Amino acid sequence: MISSDTGPRRRDRRRPGYKAAAGVFAIGMMGTTLPTPLYGLYRQQIGFSELIVTVVFAVYAVGVIAALLVAGGFSDVLGRRPVLMAALGLAALSALCFLAESGLPLLYTGRVLSGFSAGLLSGTGTAAVLELAPPGRRGRAGLAATAANMGGLGLGPLVSGILAEYAPWPLKLPFIVHLALLAAALAVVCLLAETVPRSDPRPPLRPQGMKVPPQVRGVFGPCALAAFAGFSMLGLFTAVAPAFLTQTLGEHNLAVAGAVAFCVFCASTCGQLLMGRVGARRALPLGCAVLVVGLVLIGASLLLESFPLLLAGALTGGTGQGMAFRAGLTEVSDAAPGAHRGATISAFFVVAYVGISLPVVGVGAMTVALGLRTAGVVFTVCAVLLVTAVGVQVRRSLPEAAVRS
């Protein structure tokens, strides 16, 4: 009995661990932001308005939300590895759509498929990273999961911007590179240990919608609101900031546009590191306060047409978003029971991606009537009010909710 137990354990030690799973997570998420610096090129090639840019972006978010609502808990039944493989396959199909792109239909299709992939990855990737970590490294695994999410999102525009500006085939090469990375990630997934025990008979797969266990609801509400507020700022940068750089500041270098978006997500990762020192309970309201400062700087950059202020706003706002995001995800995942962790994390991301989609479409609609600059200012004012209210609510309710749970 002893030898049969230790054998699998030794084999598991030789398998890739939580760091490898985080790498897979990052590669998958990278594809969702690859088109960010390329929207200007698509506008020149196809011909569409800034509203259509935000609609294309929102279609991705709709795909994320649909995948989370329909299949957010599938990995709790099927296992983490099969769902990770499906997510990587959808990301590859998305890249193929962009490679074959000949108009808006394939752009929409590629973005929807990318959204499906991200929806599967958000909950499943986070759960896999946390569960593959040794017991003493749960905190590091939590950081690895959220950093992989934000790091992957940041690498997408950075890599595609550099390739589009300095390499041939600007609308093709970024997706060819991503397909190669996806193949490597798929090989890694095949080697990962499965963390979900098999059940016989297997429970049926049913769409679960927004499933939040009762013991998590008190913590879930304020944490999800903070994620909504932070992701609304990320949506502004990934969908609208490149156009603002080009049309208002006269910056046409695609690598610069990609680097600015990268700075937001890089700062988010730094904010997540700071959360580890501050603690989740304090990081939630503090992150909202820092996010407000970042939004004020972004609004000032629009009014004054200042690139340094825009960059400062990106770094400050990203830091606040990262603190609040990791703190919220940590609280929710710690409170969730193991059997429903994937579904609970997926519900958390549903709220976050509603924040990244609806406000951005609103900015696109306002752009048609008010112009890009004015629409951006109106958005930042509304976002400041929202984040301030969320920060106050989080500060008041989270300690009481934590006690009740």
Side-chain angles (χ1 to χ4, degrees), residues 15-366:
R15 289 178 180 267
Y18 76 93
K19 294 180 181 178
V24 170
F25 193 4
I27 289 172
M29 296 305 294
M30 176 182 168
T32 66
T33 51
L34 274 178
T36 295
L38 309 179
Y39 286 132
L41 297 180
Y42 286 122
R43 288 182 66 183
Q44 295 173 13
Q45 177 175 297
I46 303 172
F48 50 78
S49 67
E50 192 62 38
L51 174 60
I52 297 299
V53 171
T54 59
V55 171
V56 170
F57 181 84
V59 164
Y60 152 76
V62 169
V64 176
I65 293 168
L68 289 168
L69 291 175
V70 172
F74 281 12
S75 71
D76 292 330
V77 177
L78 297 175
R80 310 301 182 206
R81 288 199 307 172
V83 177
L84 287 175
M85 290 178 182
L88 296 177
L90 288 168
L93 289 175
S94 172
L96 291 173
C97 285
F98 279 96
L99 286 174
E101 176 273 321
S102 59
L104 278 175
L106 277 178
L107 278 185
Y108 284 130
T109 304
R111 292 301 285 162
V112 169
L113 290 171
S114 182
F116 290 159
S117 172
L120 293 178
L121 279 169
S122 295
T124 304
T126 301
V129 173
L130 292 173
E131 292 165 353
L132 284 169
R137 297 190 178 181
R138 184 67 182 271
R140 291 186 181 182
L143 173 61
T146 51
N149 192 345
M150 292 300 151
L153 291 170
L155 283 173
L158 181 66
V159 170
S160 64
I162 292 172
L163 291 176
E165 185 67 30
Y166 301 114
W169 316 316
L171 295 178
K172 305 295 183 185
L173 188 59
F175 301 100
I176 294 173
V177 170
H178 191 231
L179 280 171
L181 292 173
L182 287 170
L186 185 61
V188 172
V189 172
C190 292
L191 300 175
L192 291 176
E194 180 55 70
T195 58
V196 176
R198 293 183 180 179
S199 59
D200 191 20
R202 190 189 74 188
L205 293 176
R206 295 191 182 96
Q208 298 187 30
M210 287 281 290
K211 185 172 183 179
V212 181
Q215 61 267 47
V216 188
R217 289 172 187 168
V219 173
F220 184 89
C223 293
L225 281 174
F228 177 96
F231 269 60
S232 66
M233 189 273 294
L234 295 182
L236 177 71
F237 265 88
T238 49
V240 178
F244 173 72
L245 285 169
T246 301
Q247 298 175 26
T248 304
L249 299 182
E251 179 56 70
H252 298 278
N253 189 302
L254 297 177
V256 172
V260 170
F262 172 75
C263 284
V264 178
F265 294 105
C266 185
S268 175
T269 304
C270 293
Q272 293 166 31
L273 285 168
L274 289 174
M275 195 288 295
R277 297 184 178 184
V278 175
R281 301 282 164 80
R282 292 176 59 195
L284 268 168
L286 180 59
C288 288
V290 175
L291 180 56
V292 166
V293 175
L295 287 166
V296 170
L297 290 171
I298 293 169
S301 74
L302 297 173
L303 288 172
L304 302 175
E305 299 184 6
S306 169
F307 179 79
L309 278 178
L310 179 68
L311 188 59
L315 294 172
T316 306
T319 301
Q321 185 275 337
M323 291 179 67
F325 174 72
R326 186 190 171 196
L329 183 59
T330 299
E331 291 286 336
V332 169
S333 62
D334 286 348
H340 300 290
R341 183 170 291 117
T344 305
I345 293 172
S346 295
F348 178 83
F349 278 102
V350 166
V351 179
Y353 276 97
V354 170
I356 210 173
S357 57
L358 292 182
V360 169
V361 175
V363 172
M366 285 190 295

